[in-house]
Amino acid sequence: MAEPIIRAEGLSKTFLSKERKKGEKKRKKEVHALKSVDLEVLDGEVFGLLGPNGAGKTTLIKILTTLLLPTGGSAWVNGYSITKEEDEVRASIGCMLMGDRGLYWKLTGRENLDYFGALYHVPRPDRAKQIEHLIALLKLDDFIDRTVETYSSGQRMIVAFAKSLVNDAPILFLDEPTVTMDVPTARELRRIVKDLNDHGKTILYTTHLMHEAEELCDRVAIIDHGEIIALGTPRELKDSLGHEDVVSLEGIFPDATVSRLRAVPGVLEVAVSAEDDGRSKLDVMVENSRAMLPRIIEAVTGQGSTVEEIRPKEITLEDVFVAKTGRTLAVDTRVVGEKAVRGRGG
Amino acid sequence: MAGETVSRGFGLGRPGPRASAGVVWSVFRARLKIITRYKGAVFLESIIPVIFAGLPILLGAAVAGGEQNAANNFFAYTGTTGRTAADFRLYMLMGSNTFMVVTLMLWLIGYWVRREQETGTLEALYLTPAKRFHVLAGVTSYTFIRALIAFLVATVLGALLFNVNPLEGNFLAAVAYLVLGIPALWGISFFFGALVMRIKEANSVIQLLQWVLAFAMGVYFPVTVFPFLLRVVAMGFPPTLMNDAIRSTLLGIASIYGPWYVVLGLMLIAAWLVPLLGYEFFGWTERRVKRDQGVGQF
């Protein structure tokens, strides 16, 4: 049984922000970005952190990587306290937290890697070897000796990823590493992440992409409003929905359709994702999709609805999030259902 | 505190002297590489003080009805007599050059913090175990070399253009005072860099501060012309001390601070005390920023 290599106990973070409403005096407002988070990441696992924007993922990662001090609680990374042994924590981790940012544009990719390698105290001969290894591993040789300003955003992302590996640390923090990468590059990066994990690295991986989390992660935590609302293997989380099924509908639906659907006996939850062109997607969670299908069709047809597609689908981690919060992970999501209000951790 | 989780790997959080020197060297070399990729930047900034020195020289000649008259009036009013027009030009040139060094320090360190914040490299830097002291040592080494090059290039250009010969005075001693004055400028820049990190704005703060310093350090005049209270405040500025030391050495005029050993003593104290205070303030601000919002917030 693997032991934890990252542990957080009662980690909390409160920001003070100033709020000014029209005609009123400026006043201080407390924002609770993290609320007493307990977490253990086991040595050698790929741990996924899922959640929508503003859920607290970045705050948690910034605290664990020593960029931010917590308001309360404690955490240890690789056996070191994040507040008392910051340098040891930093020496234990490789990070890709800012996408393609964090590189010097007037330096070449190779010079960037060498620079950061030195800042991680990697001895020069080891650094040179590691850089050559990364160039071969990530196929960087076509552009590594050009200045970063000439790179495409995908090339910057891959060099930023290489930067996170330059110190060959036992723990990797990867925050949305495949954003802006094309499909084959993203697939290749996931393969490399898996390979790094096979060679013993512990990886804390945040993503919005459910298929990425399902493909890569041994365990997943879903975070929302500063709280971990679900934690387990992807299989455990999906199984936690019991015998629930999801029926997915696409088309044009008036607001009343959602209310009608929710009123149908046997419908457990409805999540709505709005598309740009006025179309929307409804994910309807039910106990038995086969039995419920006729009743769902009856509820959505007529009264201005246009159903373009209707299909039962396999439960995904997105559905787990919907079930816990009543919202989808997409940015343009409306809150629906009673459970949603309860699930917001207030 | 190891034991709360398992511990694996490196343990390079506490590097040896070789690794620490490697950080200083890498930061220094990276800054140097970056500036050399902006073609002509170092040369162009050296022209600025020559132009700046031209303004009071021409104004003085216009007001006094000739350059020698301007020199006579200027030195008589500021407490020295028997100086030539060339001395008057050299006085202005050295004031402008020293001001350029001060401005360079503010921009290079203050703007460095801002640039790194905007490009995300400041956060990347804080993710490494490199000590703040070593990173700042790399940055200040770079600013030191760049300021020295700019000062020397501007002096040569100014000497040719204004037909003055700085080597007639004790030029080496003047350069030594410049070198001795730079650590205090680092200290001021650390204060300034900390402010930039906190308020996330560089331009307006630098603009304001550099002109306040230009006024207080007496770019074109000795601060003895100030009213008493302002004079005391101005003399407390390390750039004023450096400016006065360089000029009095080159032109062989009396320092407003007293004999040479007093000037040297004050410069040594400033070279030790100001960077120390600036560094502490930088560290204090950094901790506050990490508590409030994080260093990457821009």
Side-chain angles (χ1 to χ4, degrees), chain B residues 186-221:
Chain B
W186 288 336
I188 295 172
S189 306
F190 293 160
F191 273 106
F192 178 67
L195 276 182
V196 171
M197 198 195 304
R198 181 77 189 159
I199 65 173
K200 304 179 197 328
E201 218 292 307
N203 293 5
S204 61
V205 185
I206 298 179
Q207 294 286 5
L208 175 70
L209 198 63
Q210 73 178 5
W211 295 115
V212 168
L213 281 176
F215 181 71
M217 70 185 274
V219 175
Y220 298 137
F221 48 82

mmCIF file of all heavy atoms in Angstrom, chain B residues 186-221:
data_model
loop_
_atom_site.group_PDB
_atom_site.id
_atom_site.type_symbol
_atom_site.label_atom_id
_atom_site.label_comp_id
_atom_site.label_asym_id
_atom_site.label_seq_id
_atom_site.Cartn_x
_atom_site.Cartn_y
_atom_site.Cartn_z
ATOM 1 N N TRP B 186 21.265 49.739 -5.352
ATOM 2 C CA TRP B 186 20.563 48.445 -5.312
ATOM 3 C C TRP B 186 19.515 48.467 -4.190
ATOM 4 O O TRP B 186 18.397 48.027 -4.372
ATOM 5 C CB TRP B 186 21.540 47.293 -5.037
ATOM 6 C CG TRP B 186 22.445 46.950 -6.175
ATOM 7 C CD1 TRP B 186 22.234 47.192 -7.506
ATOM 8 C CD2 TRP B 186 23.724 46.303 -6.083
ATOM 9 N NE1 TRP B 186 23.304 46.731 -8.236
ATOM 10 C CE2 TRP B 186 24.221 46.182 -7.400
ATOM 11 C CE3 TRP B 186 24.489 45.817 -5.031
ATOM 12 C CZ2 TRP B 186 25.460 45.591 -7.678
ATOM 13 C CZ3 TRP B 186 25.700 45.224 -5.319
ATOM 14 C CH2 TRP B 186 26.193 45.111 -6.628
ATOM 15 N N GLY B 187 19.962 48.962 -3.043
ATOM 16 C CA GLY B 187 19.065 49.017 -1.884
ATOM 17 C C GLY B 187 17.798 49.796 -2.207
ATOM 18 O O GLY B 187 16.689 49.350 -1.929
ATOM 19 N N ILE B 188 17.984 50.973 -2.828
ATOM 20 C CA ILE B 188 16.818 51.792 -3.198
ATOM 21 C C ILE B 188 15.962 51.029 -4.213
ATOM 22 O O ILE B 188 14.733 51.039 -4.146
ATOM 23 C CB ILE B 188 17.290 53.142 -3.792
ATOM 24 C CG1 ILE B 188 18.019 53.952 -2.720
ATOM 25 C CG2 ILE B 188 16.120 53.943 -4.340
ATOM 26 C CD1 ILE B 188 18.687 55.200 -3.233
ATOM 27 N N SER B 189 16.635 50.348 -5.140
ATOM 28 C CA SER B 189 15.899 49.586 -6.159
ATOM 29 C C SER B 189 15.120 48.423 -5.547
ATOM 30 O O SER B 189 14.048 48.073 -6.028
ATOM 31 C CB SER B 189 16.861 49.035 -7.206
ATOM 32 O OG SER B 189 17.620 50.067 -7.734
ATOM 33 N N PHE B 190 15.665 47.826 -4.485
ATOM 34 C CA PHE B 190 14.927 46.738 -3.812
ATOM 35 C C PHE B 190 13.633 47.283 -3.196
ATOM 36 O O PHE B 190 12.583 46.663 -3.282
ATOM 37 C CB PHE B 190 15.768 46.082 -2.713
ATOM 38 C CG PHE B 190 16.969 45.319 -3.214
ATOM 39 C CD1 PHE B 190 18.023 45.021 -2.367
ATOM 40 C CD2 PHE B 190 17.053 44.897 -4.527
ATOM 41 C CE1 PHE B 190 19.137 44.326 -2.817
ATOM 42 C CE2 PHE B 190 18.159 44.208 -4.996
ATOM 43 C CZ PHE B 190 19.207 43.922 -4.127
ATOM 44 N N PHE B 191 13.749 48.454 -2.570
ATOM 45 C CA PHE B 191 12.547 49.118 -2.022
ATOM 46 C C PHE B 191 11.543 49.305 -3.149
ATOM 47 O O PHE B 191 10.362 49.001 -3.024
ATOM 48 C CB PHE B 191 12.902 50.505 -1.467
ATOM 49 C CG PHE B 191 13.362 50.494 -0.046
ATOM 50 C CD1 PHE B 191 14.696 50.684 0.284
ATOM 51 C CD2 PHE B 191 12.457 50.308 0.985
ATOM 52 C CE1 PHE B 191 15.131 50.677 1.595
ATOM 53 C CE2 PHE B 191 12.880 50.305 2.304
ATOM 54 C CZ PHE B 191 14.219 50.485 2.607
ATOM 55 N N PHE B 192 12.076 49.799 -4.228
ATOM 56 C CA PHE B 192 11.241 50.121 -5.356
ATOM 57 C C PHE B 192 10.641 48.858 -6.001
ATOM 58 O O PHE B 192 9.451 48.814 -6.312
ATOM 59 C CB PHE B 192 12.107 50.900 -6.345
ATOM 60 C CG PHE B 192 11.376 51.237 -7.563
ATOM 61 C CD1 PHE B 192 10.325 52.131 -7.521
ATOM 62 C CD2 PHE B 192 11.681 50.626 -8.757
ATOM 63 C CE1 PHE B 192 9.609 52.402 -8.642
ATOM 64 C CE2 PHE B 192 10.974 50.896 -9.874
ATOM 65 C CZ PHE B 192 9.932 51.792 -9.827
ATOM 66 N N GLY B 193 11.483 47.823 -6.169
ATOM 67 C CA GLY B 193 11.011 46.555 -6.737
ATOM 68 C C GLY B 193 9.908 45.957 -5.876
ATOM 69 O O GLY B 193 8.927 45.411 -6.380
ATOM 70 N N ALA B 194 10.059 46.084 -4.552
ATOM 71 C CA ALA B 194 9.046 45.572 -3.626
ATOM 72 C C ALA B 194 7.731 46.329 -3.825
ATOM 73 O O ALA B 194 6.649 45.719 -3.840
ATOM 74 C CB ALA B 194 9.537 45.724 -2.190
ATOM 75 N N LEU B 195 7.830 47.643 -4.001
ATOM 76 C CA LEU B 195 6.619 48.445 -4.231
ATOM 77 C C LEU B 195 5.924 48.006 -5.520
ATOM 78 O O LEU B 195 4.709 47.875 -5.571
ATOM 79 C CB LEU B 195 6.989 49.925 -4.365
ATOM 80 C CG LEU B 195 7.144 50.725 -3.081
ATOM 81 C CD1 LEU B 195 7.473 52.173 -3.412
ATOM 82 C CD2 LEU B 195 5.863 50.675 -2.260
ATOM 83 N N VAL B 196 6.729 47.762 -6.550
ATOM 84 C CA VAL B 196 6.170 47.338 -7.840
ATOM 85 C C VAL B 196 5.467 45.991 -7.690
ATOM 86 O O VAL B 196 4.368 45.777 -8.206
ATOM 87 C CB VAL B 196 7.288 47.262 -8.914
ATOM 88 C CG1 VAL B 196 6.776 46.606 -10.194
ATOM 89 C CG2 VAL B 196 7.824 48.648 -9.218
ATOM 90 N N MET B 197 6.092 45.072 -6.936
ATOM 91 C CA MET B 197 5.491 43.759 -6.723
ATOM 92 C C MET B 197 4.141 43.895 -6.024
ATOM 93 O O MET B 197 3.192 43.181 -6.310
ATOM 94 C CB MET B 197 6.421 42.894 -5.866
ATOM 95 C CG MET B 197 6.093 41.412 -5.948
ATOM 96 S SD MET B 197 6.843 40.402 -4.665
ATOM 97 C CE MET B 197 8.545 40.754 -4.819
ATOM 98 N N ARG B 198 4.087 44.850 -5.121
ATOM 99 C CA ARG B 198 2.878 45.042 -4.333
ATOM 100 C C ARG B 198 1.785 45.752 -5.130
ATOM 101 O O ARG B 198 0.649 45.297 -5.175
ATOM 102 C CB ARG B 198 3.245 45.846 -3.081
ATOM 103 C CG ARG B 198 2.117 46.115 -2.138
ATOM 104 C CD ARG B 198 1.767 44.911 -1.319
ATOM 105 N NE ARG B 198 0.543 45.120 -0.569
ATOM 106 C CZ ARG B 198 -0.206 44.164 -0.104
ATOM 107 N NH1 ARG B 198 0.122 42.917 -0.294
ATOM 108 N NH2 ARG B 198 -1.289 44.415 0.571
ATOM 109 N N ILE B 199 2.149 46.879 -5.735
ATOM 110 C CA ILE B 199 1.090 47.677 -6.387
ATOM 111 C C ILE B 199 0.915 47.337 -7.859
ATOM 112 O O ILE B 199 0.007 47.820 -8.509
ATOM 113 C CB ILE B 199 1.319 49.193 -6.214
ATOM 114 C CG1 ILE B 199 2.598 49.630 -6.926
ATOM 115 C CG2 ILE B 199 1.348 49.600 -4.766
ATOM 116 C CD1 ILE B 199 2.781 51.131 -6.922
ATOM 117 N N LYS B 200 1.821 46.498 -8.393
ATOM 118 C CA LYS B 200 1.731 45.979 -9.761
ATOM 119 C C LYS B 200 1.706 47.081 -10.802
ATOM 120 O O LYS B 200 0.954 47.040 -11.766
ATOM 121 C CB LYS B 200 0.496 45.090 -9.909
ATOM 122 C CG LYS B 200 0.507 43.983 -8.899
ATOM 123 C CD LYS B 200 -0.700 43.123 -9.005
ATOM 124 C CE LYS B 200 -0.915 42.286 -7.782
ATOM 125 N NZ LYS B 200 0.237 41.859 -7.058
ATOM 126 N N GLU B 201 2.505 48.065 -10.584
ATOM 127 C CA GLU B 201 2.600 49.149 -11.556
ATOM 128 C C GLU B 201 4.019 49.670 -11.485
ATOM 129 O O GLU B 201 4.541 49.917 -10.406
ATOM 130 C CB GLU B 201 1.605 50.258 -11.181
ATOM 131 C CG GLU B 201 0.935 50.911 -12.361
ATOM 132 C CD GLU B 201 1.874 51.737 -13.210
ATOM 133 O OE1 GLU B 201 2.566 52.608 -12.668
ATOM 134 O OE2 GLU B 201 1.920 51.486 -14.419
ATOM 135 N N ALA B 202 4.652 49.796 -12.637
ATOM 136 C CA ALA B 202 6.042 50.243 -12.599
ATOM 137 C C ALA B 202 6.211 51.650 -13.163
ATOM 138 O O ALA B 202 6.860 52.501 -12.559
ATOM 139 C CB ALA B 202 6.913 49.268 -13.386
ATOM 140 N N ASN B 203 5.569 51.915 -14.283
ATOM 141 C CA ASN B 203 5.897 53.129 -15.022
ATOM 142 C C ASN B 203 5.723 54.415 -14.235
ATOM 143 O O ASN B 203 6.654 55.197 -14.091
ATOM 144 C CB ASN B 203 5.064 53.204 -16.308
ATOM 145 C CG ASN B 203 5.473 52.109 -17.264
ATOM 146 O OD1 ASN B 203 6.302 51.263 -16.915
ATOM 147 N ND2 ASN B 203 4.918 52.100 -18.445
ATOM 148 N N SER B 204 4.512 54.630 -13.694
ATOM 149 C CA SER B 204 4.263 55.921 -13.047
ATOM 150 C C SER B 204 5.125 56.080 -11.806
ATOM 151 O O SER B 204 5.589 57.180 -11.502
ATOM 152 C CB SER B 204 2.776 56.054 -12.702
ATOM 153 O OG SER B 204 2.417 55.032 -11.820
ATOM 154 N N VAL B 205 5.353 54.969 -11.089
ATOM 155 C CA VAL B 205 6.156 55.053 -9.867
ATOM 156 C C VAL B 205 7.606 55.403 -10.212
ATOM 157 O O VAL B 205 8.227 56.262 -9.588
ATOM 158 C CB VAL B 205 6.104 53.724 -9.075
ATOM 159 C CG1 VAL B 205 6.835 53.850 -7.762
ATOM 160 C CG2 VAL B 205 4.671 53.326 -8.827
ATOM 161 N N ILE B 206 8.133 54.748 -11.255
ATOM 162 C CA ILE B 206 9.521 55.036 -11.641
ATOM 163 C C ILE B 206 9.627 56.475 -12.134
ATOM 164 O O ILE B 206 10.543 57.214 -11.769
ATOM 165 C CB ILE B 206 10.019 54.079 -12.745
ATOM 166 C CG1 ILE B 206 10.013 52.638 -12.248
ATOM 167 C CG2 ILE B 206 11.439 54.443 -13.175
ATOM 168 C CD1 ILE B 206 10.467 51.621 -13.272
ATOM 169 N N GLN B 207 8.678 56.874 -12.970
ATOM 170 C CA GLN B 207 8.716 58.237 -13.514
ATOM 171 C C GLN B 207 8.781 59.252 -12.391
ATOM 172 O O GLN B 207 9.614 60.160 -12.401
ATOM 173 C CB GLN B 207 7.453 58.514 -14.360
ATOM 174 C CG GLN B 207 7.327 57.689 -15.609
ATOM 175 C CD GLN B 207 8.274 58.133 -16.721
ATOM 176 O OE1 GLN B 207 9.098 59.017 -16.510
ATOM 177 N NE2 GLN B 207 8.194 57.509 -17.872
ATOM 178 N N LEU B 208 7.901 59.072 -11.415
ATOM 179 C CA LEU B 208 7.856 60.029 -10.309
ATOM 180 C C LEU B 208 9.159 59.984 -9.520
ATOM 181 O O LEU B 208 9.804 61.012 -9.293
ATOM 182 C CB LEU B 208 6.664 59.705 -9.404
ATOM 183 C CG LEU B 208 6.565 60.549 -8.137
ATOM 184 C CD1 LEU B 208 6.193 61.984 -8.489
ATOM 185 C CD2 LEU B 208 5.543 59.978 -7.168
ATOM 186 N N LEU B 209 9.536 58.765 -9.152
ATOM 187 C CA LEU B 209 10.690 58.621 -8.262
ATOM 188 C C LEU B 209 11.977 59.109 -8.917
ATOM 189 O O LEU B 209 12.809 59.746 -8.273
ATOM 190 C CB LEU B 209 10.826 57.144 -7.861
ATOM 191 C CG LEU B 209 11.668 56.874 -6.634
ATOM 192 C CD1 LEU B 209 11.049 57.501 -5.407
ATOM 193 C CD2 LEU B 209 11.825 55.374 -6.411
ATOM 194 N N GLN B 210 12.134 58.842 -10.212
ATOM 195 C CA GLN B 210 13.402 59.222 -10.839
ATOM 196 C C GLN B 210 13.549 60.743 -10.907
ATOM 197 O O GLN B 210 14.646 61.270 -10.748
ATOM 198 C CB GLN B 210 13.567 58.571 -12.206
ATOM 199 C CG GLN B 210 12.700 59.140 -13.312
ATOM 200 C CD GLN B 210 12.997 58.440 -14.634
ATOM 201 O OE1 GLN B 210 13.762 57.501 -14.699
ATOM 202 N NE2 GLN B 210 12.368 58.900 -15.700
ATOM 203 N N TRP B 211 12.446 61.450 -11.078
ATOM 204 C CA TRP B 211 12.561 62.912 -11.139
ATOM 205 C C TRP B 211 12.715 63.507 -9.752
ATOM 206 O O TRP B 211 13.398 64.520 -9.584
ATOM 207 C CB TRP B 211 11.383 63.531 -11.903
ATOM 208 C CG TRP B 211 11.404 63.094 -13.334
ATOM 209 C CD1 TRP B 211 10.491 62.336 -13.985
ATOM 210 C CD2 TRP B 211 12.458 63.336 -14.279
ATOM 211 N NE1 TRP B 211 10.889 62.082 -15.271
ATOM 212 C CE2 TRP B 211 12.100 62.686 -15.488
ATOM 213 C CE3 TRP B 211 13.673 64.018 -14.241
ATOM 214 C CZ2 TRP B 211 12.893 62.711 -16.628
ATOM 215 C CZ3 TRP B 211 14.459 64.041 -15.379
ATOM 216 C CH2 TRP B 211 14.074 63.395 -16.551
ATOM 217 N N VAL B 212 12.086 62.880 -8.780
ATOM 218 C CA VAL B 212 12.308 63.332 -7.391
ATOM 219 C C VAL B 212 13.785 63.167 -7.048
ATOM 220 O O VAL B 212 14.424 64.068 -6.487
ATOM 221 C CB VAL B 212 11.416 62.532 -6.408
ATOM 222 C CG1 VAL B 212 11.833 62.781 -4.969
ATOM 223 C CG2 VAL B 212 9.954 62.895 -6.592
ATOM 224 N N LEU B 213 14.333 61.992 -7.416
ATOM 225 C CA LEU B 213 15.753 61.740 -7.137
ATOM 226 C C LEU B 213 16.642 62.700 -7.916
ATOM 227 O O LEU B 213 17.634 63.211 -7.399
ATOM 228 C CB LEU B 213 16.110 60.288 -7.494
ATOM 229 C CG LEU B 213 15.702 59.241 -6.466
ATOM 230 C CD1 LEU B 213 16.025 57.845 -6.968
ATOM 231 C CD2 LEU B 213 16.433 59.473 -5.144
ATOM 232 N N ALA B 214 16.272 62.956 -9.184
ATOM 233 C CA ALA B 214 17.067 63.869 -10.012
ATOM 234 C C ALA B 214 17.144 65.231 -9.349
ATOM 235 O O ALA B 214 18.203 65.873 -9.292
ATOM 236 C CB ALA B 214 16.438 63.984 -11.391
ATOM 237 N N PHE B 215 16.010 65.667 -8.822
ATOM 238 C CA PHE B 215 15.952 66.967 -8.152
ATOM 239 C C PHE B 215 16.782 66.935 -6.873
ATOM 240 O O PHE B 215 17.619 67.803 -6.629
ATOM 241 C CB PHE B 215 14.480 67.277 -7.849
ATOM 242 C CG PHE B 215 14.267 68.595 -7.176
ATOM 243 C CD1 PHE B 215 14.446 69.779 -7.875
ATOM 244 C CD2 PHE B 215 13.891 68.655 -5.840
ATOM 245 C CE1 PHE B 215 14.248 71.003 -7.258
ATOM 246 C CE2 PHE B 215 13.692 69.868 -5.219
ATOM 247 C CZ PHE B 215 13.865 71.056 -5.924
ATOM 248 N N ALA B 216 16.543 65.877 -6.090
ATOM 249 C CA ALA B 216 17.182 65.819 -4.766
ATOM 250 C C ALA B 216 18.687 65.563 -4.843
ATOM 251 O O ALA B 216 19.429 66.002 -3.971
ATOM 252 C CB ALA B 216 16.519 64.730 -3.925
ATOM 253 N N MET B 217 19.133 64.862 -5.881
ATOM 254 C CA MET B 217 20.563 64.531 -5.935
ATOM 255 C C MET B 217 21.394 65.646 -6.574
ATOM 256 O O MET B 217 22.611 65.572 -6.607
ATOM 257 C CB MET B 217 20.797 63.208 -6.683
ATOM 258 C CG MET B 217 20.530 63.264 -8.171
ATOM 259 S SD MET B 217 20.681 61.632 -8.943
ATOM 260 C CE MET B 217 22.430 61.612 -9.256
ATOM 261 N N GLY B 218 20.732 66.681 -7.064
ATOM 262 C CA GLY B 218 21.455 67.809 -7.637
ATOM 263 C C GLY B 218 22.158 67.456 -8.925
ATOM 264 O O GLY B 218 23.382 67.530 -9.020
ATOM 265 N N VAL B 219 21.371 67.056 -9.909
ATOM 266 C CA VAL B 219 21.960 66.676 -11.198
ATOM 267 C C VAL B 219 22.746 67.839 -11.796
ATOM 268 O O VAL B 219 23.878 67.675 -12.265
ATOM 269 C CB VAL B 219 20.852 66.225 -12.184
ATOM 270 C CG1 VAL B 219 21.438 65.953 -13.575
ATOM 271 C CG2 VAL B 219 20.181 64.985 -11.670
ATOM 272 N N TYR B 220 22.163 69.041 -11.738
ATOM 273 C CA TYR B 220 22.774 70.202 -12.403
ATOM 274 C C TYR B 220 23.317 71.237 -11.428
ATOM 275 O O TYR B 220 23.714 72.322 -11.837
ATOM 276 C CB TYR B 220 21.743 70.882 -13.308
ATOM 277 C CG TYR B 220 21.223 70.007 -14.427
ATOM 278 C CD1 TYR B 220 19.871 69.989 -14.749
ATOM 279 C CD2 TYR B 220 22.088 69.223 -15.185
ATOM 280 C CE1 TYR B 220 19.397 69.197 -15.781
ATOM 281 C CE2 TYR B 220 21.619 68.423 -16.217
ATOM 282 C CZ TYR B 220 20.277 68.413 -16.501
ATOM 283 O OH TYR B 220 19.798 67.629 -17.535
ATOM 284 N N PHE B 221 23.266 70.945 -10.155
ATOM 285 C CA PHE B 221 23.714 71.949 -9.170
ATOM 286 C C PHE B 221 24.065 71.243 -7.867
ATOM 287 O O PHE B 221 23.561 70.138 -7.603
ATOM 288 C CB PHE B 221 22.596 72.977 -8.903
ATOM 289 C CG PHE B 221 21.265 72.326 -8.628
ATOM 290 C CD1 PHE B 221 20.955 71.842 -7.360
ATOM 291 C CD2 PHE B 221 20.330 72.157 -9.639
ATOM 292 C CE1 PHE B 221 19.744 71.223 -7.109
ATOM 293 C CE2 PHE B 221 19.110 71.538 -9.387
ATOM 294 C CZ PHE B 221 18.820 71.072 -8.128
#
